[in-house]
Amino acid sequence: MTGPGVMAMNGSPDEAKARLDQWADGLSAKAAKYESVARQTEGLRLSATSVSNFVKVTVRADGSVTDLEFGPKARTVPMPELATLILDTMRRAQAGIAGRVGDVLAAELGDEDPQTRELMLAELRGRFPDPDDEPQEPESDTAQEDDAAQDEEPW
């Protein structure tokens, strides 16, 4: 990779200094944009609500849960189903992370650094896939036996 130093040597010392200053200013501007992206994504919150309004989950851009709310009829749902509702709703909230971070990147960076942006978004899509796109694994007999054994154990 050639940097500004090689190009800066082709001319007077004043021209070289001006090119280096311009290059440094460009780096500073890019760093400021990425700092703004970091601040904005830190403040992102995404929520999803279960179909029957039993559960609402809010997550940060890193996928961590910041809030979990139960609707008034959540008490009527059997615990195993409620656990599944919570996890499914959390995954739906997380599935929106890549899109929202992509919006922030587009607003702050425009057409700059498309490779970096795509790498970041691909990583987020991998961590937080759309729940409808996830392959469903059939439950094995061993898993059912484990569940039955755990039902007998008080915790």
Side-chain angles (χ1 to χ4, degrees):
M1 179 174 136
T2 60
V6 173
M7 293 178 12
M9 297 301 171
N10 298 332
S12 72
D14 289 338
E15 289 173 348
K17 182 182 179 325
R19 286 188 192 127
L20 287 172
D21 288 345
Q22 183 181 15
W23 181 70
D25 290 345
L27 286 178
S28 294
K30 186 179 279 193
K33 288 180 182 182
Y34 277 102
E35 286 174 12
S36 178
V37 167
R39 277 192 307 277
Q40 289 182 51
T41 56
E42 178 65 30
L44 282 179
R45 299 293 182 267
L46 294 92
S47 295
T49 303
S50 65
V51 176
S52 302
N53 294 319
F54 292 132
V55 175
K56 178 180 178 184
V57 180
T58 303
V59 297
R60 290 185 176 102
D62 67 0
S64 61
V65 174
T66 62
D67 196 22
L68 173 62
E69 298 175 32
F70 296 100
K73 294 185 180 182
R75 295 177 198 266
T76 65
V77 180
M79 288 295 162
E81 290 177 38
L82 186 59
T84 299
L85 269 176
I86 292 168
L87 292 175
D88 289 346
T89 306
M90 178 190 72
R91 287 184 188 109
R92 284 192 307 104
Q94 290 172 333
I97 292 171
R100 291 282 299 276
V101 171
D103 292 344
V104 171
L105 289 168
E108 288 297 316
L109 302 178
D111 292 333
E112 277 185 52
D113 285 340
Q115 291 173 322
T116 302
R117 178 174 39 235
E118 191 49 45
L119 284 172
M120 291 172 68
L121 295 178
E123 192 271 334
L124 289 171
R125 285 185 210 106
R127 284 179 56 205
F128 308 116
D130 186 332
D132 297 331
D133 295 342
E134 289 182 344
Q136 299 296 321
E137 294 184 25
E139 199 170 295
S140 68
D141 290 339
T142 306
Q144 291 173 353
E145 290 170 11
D146 289 344
D147 288 345
Q150 287 183 355
D151 287 343
E152 297 170 8
E153 299 173 13
W155 48 275

